[in-house]
């Protein structure tokens, strides 16, 4: 869960920086890509239930 929150924070920071600073639109695009990757990561974690296999 900590990795999800860290990636979400990075995505928001990149998105805001890319939207505010002139000429850095690519940071906004990178922020959106990181956000989408984070949502996919969260979906896979929720599907598996976060349980670890028993040995």
């Amino acid at each position: 869960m900590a990795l999800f929150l860290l990636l979400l924070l990075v995505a928001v920071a990149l998105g805001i920086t890319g939207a505010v600073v002139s000429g850095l639109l690519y940071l906004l695009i990178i922020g959106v890509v990181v956000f989408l990757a984070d949502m996919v990561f969260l979906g896979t974690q929720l599907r598996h239930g976060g349980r670890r296999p028993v040995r």
Side-chain angles (χ1 to χ4, degrees):
M1 190 57 127
L3 180 62
F4 169 75
L5 293 175
L6 176 68
L7 287 175
L8 188 63
L9 183 65
V10 168
V12 169
L14 286 173
I16 290 173
T17 303
V20 172
V21 178
S22 177
L24 294 180
L25 183 63
Y26 66 92
L27 283 181
L28 178 61
I29 295 169
I30 292 172
V32 169
V33 169
V34 169
F35 178 75
L36 292 176
D38 196 26
M39 290 297 117
V40 169
F41 174 72
L42 179 65
T44 59
Q45 291 295 336
L46 289 178
R47 183 182 325 204
H48 294 296
R51 293 175 289 171
R52 301 196 186 270
V54 179
R55 293 185 181 190

